[in-house]
Amino acid sequence: MADRIVGRRSVLDGLVLPARNGIVSVIEATPAARFIYRGDPGLIGDAFGIALPTTPMQARASGARAALWLGPDEWLLLAAASEATTVAAAVAGKPAALVDVGHRQVGLSVSGPRAAALLNAGCPLDLDEAEFPVGMCTRTILAKAEIVLWRTASDAFRMEIARSFAPYVVAFLVEALHGIDR
Amino acid sequence: MLLIHCPYCRMARPESEFRYGGEAHVVRPAEPANVSDADWAAFLYMRANPKGIHAERWRHVHGCGRFFNALRNTVTDQILRTYPAGTPQPALDAHAEDGR
Ligand SMILES: [Zn+2]
């Protein structure tokens, strides 16, 4: 019987991600465990290691873990890929919903002085730092794709996209980069 | 593009993140079996369709995902007030009802 080699490959494999030296670059974010938590933020307490932010559109991060406010009772939890079972155990038995969406979406890091300009080619939000400061996150749209956008630094964003939209989003950003002048 | 204030995100967000959800405050009869056909049809199909202030449901579908209500002037398309789902329709002062 022939040997079967099973390996994980990213949905972004084979795609050329947009980048222009010193202007903006898009790279795949480190593979992560991802969960959607729905319920009372108090129930999870310290179990996740980060108290869930209750201020709208705020993200809290510590190391590889992050909790992103998506709605009044909805958070996106990120953790190192190896910690998926640890996070799931933290909520086990509590009257709340925890859904593993680790393989549903893929993360992209968009950084550089023109990162906001590139995203604004398809995102209708005001991404000026005064309006969308570091630590702010939200579900929004990029052209025809729904995304989660999180500003991790003055010139860096993390974007979470549905994996089936990855070729579309990458193609869109490659095209949009032509419109970024400097 | 219209900016719509989401009462859950507590900020004005672009219209393209929202979906319209029809007239607000339409109450489903508690016991549908005891409702006449005419009343049931009125609940299902009859809407106010006013020229002027209209209370309507919107959903921030590409944002926080929540339904909320809005008071919109159907003549000017101006959204005068938004408020959380499940809360009563707020009163508008005459100035606001003018659509200005
Ligand atoms: Zn919202």
Side-chain angles (χ1 to χ4, degrees), chain B residues 59-80:
Chain B
R59 185 177 177 214
H60 194 188
V61 58
H62 299 302
C64 61
R66 284 332 99 132
F67 276 95
F68 60 92
N69 297 329
L71 295 179
R72 182 175 62 95
N73 186 323
T74 59
V75 178
T76 61
D77 206 23
Q78 188 178 8
I79 291 179
L80 305 162

Side-chain angles (χ1 to χ4, degrees), chain A residues 69-70, chain B residues 6-11 13 17-18 60 63-66 68:
Chain A
W69 186 98
L70 294 184
Chain B
C6 172
Y8 296 100
C9 293
R10 295 186 218 141
M11 76 180 288
R13 301 279 295 238
E17 292 181 347
F18 295 85
H60 194 188
C64 61
R66 284 332 99 132
F68 60 92

Side-chain angles (χ1 to χ4, degrees), chain A:
Chain A
M1 194 173 161
D3 285 338
R4 283 195 199 168
I5 298 165
V6 180
R8 245 185 108 177
R9 60 189 279 277
S10 164
V11 68
L12 297 168
D13 280 1
L15 297 176
V16 179
L17 300 180
R20 198 183 298 162
N21 225 353
I23 306 291
V24 62
S25 79
V26 179
I27 58 166
E28 181 173 3
T30 315
R34 303 174 175 85
F35 295 89
I36 294 288
Y37 175 82
R38 297 287 307 265
D40 182 339
L43 279 176
I44 198 167
D46 303 328
F48 181 59
I50 301 173
L52 304 188
T54 50
T55 309
M57 295 175 291
Q58 283 301 303
R60 259 192 216 135
S62 168
R65 292 203 177 185
L68 284 72
W69 186 98
L70 294 184
D73 64 353
E74 183 178 5
W75 287 264
L76 172 64
L77 308 181
L78 302 175
S82 57
E83 291 191 274
T85 46
T86 324
V87 175
V91 184
K94 305 230 165 60
L98 188 77
V99 179
D100 186 338
V101 295
H103 295 204
R104 179 182 76 178
Q105 53 205 48
V106 61
L108 289 175
S109 294
V110 184
S111 61
R114 299 286 275 159
L118 181 70
L119 292 168
N120 267 151
C123 176
L125 292 177
D126 185 348
L127 296 181
D128 187 275
E129 211 179 330
E131 290 297 316
F132 201 95
V134 175
M136 187 162 164
C137 66
T138 184
R139 195 157 34 207
T140 180
I141 46 177
L142 182 85
K144 306 238 180 211
E146 184 176 280
I147 63 167
V148 171
L149 189 64
W150 170 26
R151 188 176 217 136
T152 51
S154 176
D155 61 351
F157 295 85
R158 183 188 176 112
M159 200 161 74
E160 288 280 326
I161 55 177
R163 51 178 294 127
S164 56
F165 273 85
Y168 168 79
V169 166
V170 170
F172 178 84
L173 292 176
V174 166
E175 198 63 32
L177 187 58
H178 293 301
I180 304 297
D181 40 8
R182 55 186 171 74

Side-chain angles (χ1 to χ4, degrees), chain B residues 24-25 53-56 69-71 81 83-84 86-92:
Chain B
H25 307 298
I53 307 295
H54 188 221
E56 53 200 21
N69 297 329
L71 295 179
R81 196 74 59 83
Y83 51 102
T87 57
Q89 179 173 339
L92 290 174

